[in-house]
Structures are given as structure tokens and as C-alpha cells.
Amino acid sequence: MTQELIATVDVLRPGKSLVVAIDGPSGSGKSSVSKEVARRLKLAYLDTGAMYRALTWFCLDNGTDLDDGAAVEAASKSLPLEISTSPLEEYVRVGGTDVTLAIREPSISAAVSAVATTLGARTELIRRQRELIEKHHRRMVVEGRDITTVVAPHAEVRMLLTASEEARLRRRGIQLGGSQSAEQLAAQVTQRDAKDSTVVNFTRAADGVVTLDSSELDFAGTVDAALGIVTGIVNHQALRHD
């Protein structure tokens, strides 16, 4: 979504770290909401799911067998990835090739779980994700499936953004412009979640993680609720340390 919302929030925790970790299942609105939250808070933004999709594209492009864990891990270490960390610009490049749109194709969606459940590849991409967080002085909104528990368990704000299956399927269908059948949507949302949940829990909030259920909220309402959670936690932390 690209709709313009109201003015940005005053800078929170100026000069200090502010990592907002957001997890959630497919179709929950993680990417669009996280990007807008980052824009409003003037933070960097990282879509970790795009990194797994880019690695999947890279493996398929160079003929790597996705069932060969060692080969997928090796590909992850040689992946020549450039990814935007700005909420104002979206691009993903692999070896100089723009794959921003290609990694959203159904063929990638169908194959990405095989890559995302390869533990060696996860380890490498998590290393890169942490490196990017540090590069931006720990002022970043990071979204994915294991951010609150693995990538950034000590983030100042940790949130699980969820929604009902019906809402998630509807949103993913709208996002893809009605180009996918019900079966394709189910494969992209519920079936992928089932596969990925074998290596990471992103359906239930861990201790200290705030749950935001957006089933009955529109985009603007979800963004406002997420910003309310962030500002509430930051203000509470500030009071506690005064």
C-alpha cells in the first residue's frame, strides 16, 4: 500500500537505539504496516522475508537443488544481495539484477519455504539481518517470522501482528490484484505458514511480545494501533528509568 497518512510522529528515543521487531503470519499486513510505521517514526526498515525470497530466486536461477541443504546454505553465503532499508524506496537486487517484482511471483512463493526451513541458510541470513540492524545504529523496524525471538530478541519493542485466516486470505488476494485463484492464495498463505512453522513459531506471542490483532482494522487503524504500542512501550521505559 502506498496511501499517504498523517504527519510523522516526533522522533522517539533520539540518539538511542529503537528496534521495533514485528512478526506475524502471511497476509497479516506485516510489510505494509511495518513500512508505514518506519516512515512515521523516521526509522530504517527491513523486510526479512524479501531476503528469503531473494535467496530462493538465486537458488532457482543457478540451478541449486532446494532439497540439498548444504547447497542451499552455500548459496546463502555467496548470495550477492542488495536490499533497500528505506521505507520510502523498495528494491531487491541479486548480482545487480532487479528482482523486486520477480520474488513475489507464485513460483517463488511456492518454493521459499524449502529455503526458509534450511537451518544453515537461516543462520546466514540472520547474521546479515543483525548486521544491517547494527549498520543503522539499531534504529530500525524489522519484520518477518522470527524477529522477536531470534533475530532481535532484545529489541525495545516486540510485536506480533496477526489476523484471522479469512482476513489474511482477503488481503493477500487484494495485494496480488485478484490474479491468484483461491488454491494459489491458500498455498501462499496457510500452506506456507504450516511449512515455516516447523522451524519458527510466529503464530503465538513469546513472553514480552505484544499481540496486535488486525482482523477488524483497516490499514490506517492498524498503523495507528502499532504506533500506539510503540509509543506506549517507549514512554513506559522512559518513565521507569527516570
Side-chain angles (χ1 to χ4, degrees):
M1 300 182 185
T2 58
Q3 63 201 85
E4 189 71 15
L5 298 184
I6 60 174
T8 56
V9 176
D10 289 339
V11 175
L12 295 177
R13 289 175 57 87
K16 299 179 181 178
S17 65
L18 177 54
V19 177
V20 179
I22 301 180
D23 285 331
S26 300
S28 60
K30 289 193 309 294
S31 295
S32 55
V33 170
S34 297
K35 190 180 295 183
E36 182 61 20
V37 167
R39 187 187 74 82
R40 299 269 290 272
L41 293 174
K42 298 179 181 175
L43 298 175
Y45 162 75
L46 180 61
D47 175 357
T48 65
M51 297 176 72
Y52 287 99
R53 286 174 173 271
L55 176 56
T56 303
W57 183 91
F58 181 59
C59 288
L60 293 175
D61 185 64
N62 64 26
T64 300
D65 181 356
L66 299 187
D67 292 323
D68 184 339
V72 173
E73 179 179 354
S76 73
K77 292 178 178 178
S78 64
L79 175 67
L81 177 67
E82 297 173 73
I83 186 168
S84 172
T85 51
S86 167
L88 304 177
E89 182 181 19
E90 181 180 4
Y91 65 78
V92 183
R93 303 184 190 111
V94 175
T97 299
D98 189 325
V99 297
T100 310
L101 297 178
I103 63 172
R104 304 296 173 183
E105 291 291 328
S107 59
I108 301 298
S109 298
V112 67
S113 284
V115 169
T117 54
T118 299
L119 297 182
R122 288 194 79 84
T123 298
E124 169 60 18
L125 292 189
I126 288 167
R127 184 194 66 77
R128 295 193 190 203
Q129 290 155 17
R130 289 174 173 163
E131 195 173 71
L132 286 168
I133 293 171
E134 295 300 328
K135 179 181 176 182
H136 289 279
H137 310 290
R138 295 187 57 81
R139 292 189 62 82
M140 177 179 268
V141 176
V142 191
E143 55 101 344
R145 294 174 180 270
D146 59 357
I147 313 305
T148 64
T149 54
V150 178
V151 178
H154 304 298
E156 284 72 23
V157 179
R158 298 187 298 151
M159 193 184 314
L160 176 67
L161 178 59
T162 189
S164 67
E165 182 175 311
E166 178 186 11
R168 293 188 292 118
L169 286 168
R170 182 180 70 250
R171 289 169 185 169
R172 182 53 58 88
I174 293 171
Q175 179 187 17
L176 295 172
S179 61
Q180 307 297 301
S181 67
E183 292 77 13
Q184 287 174 314
L185 284 175
Q188 289 200 28
V189 177
T190 54
Q191 291 175 32
R192 185 186 162 200
D193 285 347
K195 291 176 183 176
D196 288 359
S197 65
T198 61
V199 294
V200 61
N201 180 14
F202 51 86
T203 58
R204 185 173 299 173
D207 288 345
V209 176
V210 179
T211 298
L212 171 54
D213 188 330
S214 66
S215 301
E216 304 301 322
L217 297 173
D218 62 9
F219 175 66
T222 305
V223 171
D224 285 342
L227 286 169
I229 290 170
V230 174
T231 55
I233 290 174
V234 168
N235 289 339
H236 177 73
Q237 290 172 342
L239 286 171
R240 199 172 60 189
H241 290 100
D242 281 348

